[in-house]
Amino acid sequence: MATSYRVSFPDYLDGYEAETEAKGYLVGVVVIAGNASFDLTIYDRARLVQELDDELDPDGAYFAVPNLLVVRSVTRADILRAVEALAKGNFQELVSHPVA
């Protein structure tokens, strides 16, 4: 388990939490654990299905997003709960890059 980690939310989220939750999508969340950094893309289920439908229309061949995290609702609380669960597995499901 990653005993120490930090979650950083994008500055633009402050004051726009309700809009972000309604949108069901958030980029720019960063988790730092030790010497590793993880850039997350967050979706709720409904928005992910919409995105898949758009991307996989007759002309779309695939949908790929590194470090995709699907949560019940795109809120700080749900995101932090998911990150805590990922930390229990030492973030093995994610692809990291070195902390600069």
Side-chain angles (χ1 to χ4, degrees), residues 2 5 14 19 26 38 40 48-49 55-56 59 68 75 79 94:
Y5 63 90
D14 293 335
E19 291 86 346
L26 179 63
F38 308 94
L40 303 179
L48 180 60
V49 169
E55 293 295 324
L56 298 178
D59 296 330
L68 174 66
T75 63
I79 293 166
L94 301 177

Side-chain angles (χ1 to χ4, degrees), residues 48-59:
L48 180 60
V49 169
Q50 291 172 350
E51 200 71 28
L52 290 170
D53 287 345
D54 289 346
E55 293 295 324
L56 298 178
D57 67 10
D59 296 330

Side-chain angles (χ1 to χ4, degrees), residues 7-79:
V7 180
S8 173
F9 289 90
D11 291 339
Y12 68 81
L13 183 61
D14 293 335
Y16 293 96
E17 288 91 351
E19 291 86 346
T20 300
E21 182 180 0
K23 187 171 65 169
Y25 172 77
L26 179 63
V27 296
V29 176
V30 177
V31 176
I32 297 174
N35 294 330
S37 177
F38 308 94
D39 297 319
L40 303 179
T41 299
I42 315 292
Y43 279 92
D44 67 18
R45 185 184 184 285
R47 177 61 188 263
L48 180 60
V49 169
Q50 291 172 350
E51 200 71 28
L52 290 170
D53 287 345
D54 289 346
E55 293 295 324
L56 298 178
D57 67 10
D59 296 330
Y62 65 93
F63 178 75
V65 176
N67 290 341
L68 174 66
L69 182 62
V70 181
V71 294
R72 190 171 310 278
S73 183
V74 181
T75 63
R76 288 180 195 259
D78 279 353
I79 293 166

Side-chain angles (χ1 to χ4, degrees), residues 83-97:
V83 170
E84 183 178 334
L86 288 167
K88 289 178 183 175
N90 217 18
F91 300 102
Q92 292 178 11
E93 296 91 341
L94 301 177
V95 176
S96 68
H97 54 84

